[in-house]
Amino acid sequence: MPQRQIFCAAYRCGKTQRLVDVAAAALRSGMPHTQILALAVHRPAAAVLREMLHAATGRDIPTTTLRQRALAILQDTPAAAQLPSGWSEAALLSGIDRRRLMRQAWARVGAEHPSLFARRGHQPGALDWLALLFDRFSDWCGTADPHRLPDLRPADAGLAELWHAYRAYLHLCRQHGVVAFNEVFNRAVDALRVPEVRQNHTRHLLLLDDLDLWQPAELLFVAALIGPQSDVYAACANAPHADSPLALERLLHRWTMRHALQPVTIDAAAPPAPEMSVGEYATPDAEAHAIARRIAALTRATGQPDDAAIVAFDPELVPLLQRALPQYGLPVQGQTPRDGYTLALAPLAVAGLKLLTEQPLTPAETIALLQHPALGLSIADAHAAVEAVEQQRFQPFALDDQRWPAALSAAGRERLTEMRSATAAARTDDQPPSAQIQRWLARLDLDARAWEQSATVLEPWAVMIDRQHWTRLLDFLRQSEALNATLGTPLTIADAVEVFTAAQALIPPQGQPHAHAIPIWQPSALGGCTARLVFAAGLHEGALPQPIQPLPLADDTALIEAFGALPGFVAPQHQDRAAAWERATHDLQRVVGRALEAIHLSYSRTDRQGRARLPSPVLAATIGASLDRHGRLQCAEGRPPVETALPDERADTTFTLWPQSFVTDSLIATQPSLDLPPLPVESPFQVSPSALEDYFTCPRRCFYARMLGLYDVVSSPRQTLGQVVHDALNDLLHESQGAAIDETGARALVARHWIADDHRWGSRLKQIVFRQLAEQAVLNYARYEAERAEHTTFLGGELRFHWPLPDIDTIITGRLDRIDRSAAGLHVIDYKLGQHSPSINDLLGEFVPPRDPQQAAAWRPGDIQLPVYALALEQGTIEGLELQPGERVATMTLVYPLALYGDSGRLSARGRREIRLIDHRDEACPACAAQPERSPKTGTLCREQLAAVEQRVREAVLRMRAAEWQPDPREGSQTCAGCAFRPICSDPQ
């Protein structure tokens, strides 16, 4: 009779040691070490078990993770799994190709049963939620062979259709010899049904660690490894019970009963409970700094930086911790990651693929390519080409555009001509896209230049990882090409762009290796992880218990009725509060058990947007605390006190100096700072109104965005929407001549300028929403123009201006949305794509200081674009527009196209905010006298106030030229909370 037992004990109570003792006894009895196999879920657990086995036996007992074992079976016997010869892990089906097969399978089934697919199949995100359901099917089924699936007939027509679609999808996978990440365990199970494979992979002794962490597909896979005479020993924190509130534990109980594993409770003294402390902080930033400060203090005291680890229950904390810890001289495990987006070659390849489609690049893509260092243009040539592109006077990569900018040098023309020739030659290549893009890059020497520049600025480990990622990206392309060829639809260049950009997101980041670094662990992957001091962070009500994502189209009852017969079925229980509480308690107990000496439990009272939240009820129960009426933790007598502020070990050290002081005293050697040359001072210095606004908001933010050029960080869907609508409205005004247009006309104008790039919009669903907003904005404005009664003449739109300030060697440049002329003077109009417009008072308050001296001292300008536009019109020049001498601005107007009409369909005052410019009167000036209680009916700005704006602009320019970039947010932490540069700022509030 085979021996089968499951050792049950708390963490660090000897259950894993029992597995080791079993292996040692088996070796003493004469069992070959190759007939022993030890399995764990997570890599750290497998590593710990491997070391313990070697220490006890002196032999290298085969020890690995479940997934690696399943992949090894597929790689050793691909034919048994209906995979091509030589198959390896690198050939796993990519997510985008998996979705391609899913759509084909669903469409095939939907054609026979035109219900769900006809209604939902083409909706945004349909394949995303279909993938969620297919993932769960693969977890429940225990096979990837459609002929072995039970013939289920769900009563719900939608679920029945999706079940048939899943069977069709598995048929396609086997037909084309591919397997996705989620079906690896099931494919391995199918391979083990072949007698020869099963004989080669079953072992006399199986050691299964942390069985309570295994998922259904993993349990079904190991069941296939258990032979009739196999001895099986497992380890588990608690003996599984048939009446457990957790569906997964009930499945585990059935599994242990089926394989006759007898529970053995280890009677061992529990290790001493770790010393517990609790922290309750105002914000996530304060929580991250408190943790970093404690670890830094521990490091200075012990000299052992790897004595601490962090478990982040709230994912929001991970980037904050990764930024805070290095400020205290503490390296983070996985810091400075490299992925598919960090490659110097990636944007070149994407641009090249788009050029090969014979479709023009967007202006933003064109400018990015011109400025790419590997292209080799000089700074002057890149600037001249970019300026010509912005003014729509030059298309550098269009084969037939001969409008060379006058400022472009002969070398610049030669390089761009070379690129055009390489593009034309590549388009005629009868090769798959992966080969075409490689040849295009090689012809232009872009690949060699990119690698040379990477080697100059990156450390060797990063260059090595980048090369691995580049090979992986090409493998994704080749795999898609092969799959599409078998489907009879060769991969086009346009499809290759989508595959390439999607593949960038599929490459997991790899970080810089450190000998001693602080690990940040996931709560769900703690096998084998221990540290002397553990920080359990982010323990608020939204993170513990973690909500379970519901499956689409069905509740728990419908899923149980439809799929309860599958061998690995586990009900989601996303609406079961008792189950959620039980899961959360287990999760926190597991984390506490990883602390050898001490654990610090913490949460923050608000999120980064300032929204209040409560501590986790599981946290309160664990420390024996109650919640007062303010939502604060109140610990009973004898319990650890709750720390409600950052640890103040140095009373004389301010918050802003903490990181620097700890770096100075830290025992960890910090990376030397880069010796960057000073930024060159332009002559004349050029600045835009939006850059000035950034400077008034926060000089450091302006530095990041404008001086360092981190525009990709601050770009947003709203900015992209503005670009599209501005271009569409400009065409509207030039072409419609005041006539209203219908929805079809609005859509055509938007389509003409639409930027079809999911990365710019955030997702396909958001792109659809923003496109609807753009069409509505154009339609509203066309109606408004047709109904407008003002007698003005449209002079032009999207006009570039230059306002010279020769006394301070500066030129202010920008673009005016629209200029009109009437008998009263010029009219400046600026479009805003928000739906909530400020009042006239609020608008004036952005650039007119309050009269109270104390308030005026702390006041800073805000939205100053309108007065700057007026000053530029009167004192500067407008490209392509001749103004009459002495012409002055009469009005400045903000137009909100999305707010022009109310719900009733009538014109709304909120859609238009107009300010009249008047001469200042020494006595009873209407504009000046309206302060501080301005009347909305006034809506005036006098010339003296306009001159004050000019003076503020000059002061800001002088400070920018003097490189005054200190962090100084205008509204303090409120400004910092919404700043895109907060993760890299040295001193956010």
Side-chain angles (χ1 to χ4, degrees), residues 681-763:
V681 178
E682 301 176 58
S683 182
F685 182 72
Q686 294 194 25
V687 68
S688 67
S690 58
L692 289 167
E693 282 189 9
D694 272 350
Y695 192 85
F696 288 132
T697 299
C698 177
R700 178 60 56 85
R701 170 173 146 171
C702 180
F703 174 74
Y704 287 140
R706 311 291 169 168
M707 296 298 109
L708 296 187
L710 302 180
Y711 291 102
D712 58 326
V713 179
V714 298
S715 63
S716 69
R718 280 285 172 186
Q719 291 174 314
T720 309
L721 175 69
Q723 177 183 339
V724 170
V725 172
H726 279 62
D727 292 341
L729 292 183
N730 189 40
D731 285 2
L732 169 72
L733 294 170
H734 278 95
E735 298 172 7
S736 68
Q737 299 180 352
I741 59 175
D742 57 12
E743 291 186 15
T744 303
R747 289 193 183 116
L749 283 172
V750 170
R752 185 186 302 174
H753 299 283
W754 191 251
I755 300 172
D757 184 350
D758 290 344
H759 292 289
R760 294 286 295 274
W761 302 106
S763 69

Side-chain angles (χ1 to χ4, degrees), residues 44-260:
V48 169
L49 183 55
R50 185 183 302 112
E51 292 171 3
M52 292 177 65
L53 287 167
H54 182 79
T57 66
R59 306 298 295 271
D60 292 326
I61 306 296
T63 308
T64 185
T65 63
L66 289 157
R67 178 165 291 278
Q68 287 304 314
R69 186 63 180 176
L71 287 168
I73 292 173
L74 298 184
Q75 290 176 163
D76 293 345
T77 57
Q82 294 195 354
L83 293 172
S85 176
W87 185 92
S88 69
E89 181 181 358
L92 282 172
L93 190 66
S94 68
I96 190 168
D97 288 331
R98 185 186 185 219
R99 280 167 166 74
R100 197 184 304 272
L101 291 180
M102 286 166 45
R103 176 175 287 282
Q104 183 172 345
W106 193 16
R108 181 182 301 174
V109 172
E112 301 172 0
H113 308 280
S115 55
L116 191 62
F117 179 78
R119 300 196 315 270
R120 302 286 187 88
H122 300 284
Q123 290 181 349
L127 290 181
D128 293 330
W129 58 255
L130 185 66
L132 288 176
L133 197 59
F134 279 18
D135 291 347
R136 201 60 57 88
F137 286 163
S138 67
D139 210 27
W140 296 338
C141 289
T143 180
D145 186 348
H147 301 292
R148 295 183 179 274
L149 291 178
D151 186 19
L152 302 179
R153 301 179 185 274
D156 182 277
L159 288 178
E161 180 180 331
L162 294 176
W163 176 248
H164 289 301
Y166 182 64
R167 297 172 68 105
Y169 159 74
L170 293 180
H171 270 291
L172 288 174
C173 288
R174 298 175 79 83
Q175 174 186 340
H176 299 295
V178 294
V179 60
F181 180 88
N182 304 79
E183 280 91 31
V184 164
F185 289 117
N186 292 340
R187 274 296 180 93
V189 170
D190 293 333
L192 288 169
R193 290 192 172 94
V194 178
E196 295 80 3
V197 177
R198 183 177 176 81
Q199 182 178 358
N200 292 334
H201 287 276
T202 54
R203 296 292 181 265
H204 291 328
L205 176 59
L206 284 176
L207 306 175
L208 314 177
D209 199 16
D210 291 328
L211 196 63
D212 50 333
L213 301 182
W214 293 22
Q215 295 302 308
E218 295 164 338
L219 291 171
L220 297 175
F221 164 65
V222 171
L225 291 174
I226 300 176
Q229 301 303 316
S230 298
D231 293 337
V232 182
Y233 291 85
C236 188
N238 299 291
H241 295 287
D243 57 351
S244 170
L246 301 181
L248 183 57
E249 285 194 4
R250 295 197 295 271
L251 172 67
L252 181 59
H253 176 265
R254 295 195 300 272
W255 189 90
T256 56
M257 294 296 291
R258 184 179 304 117
H259 297 287

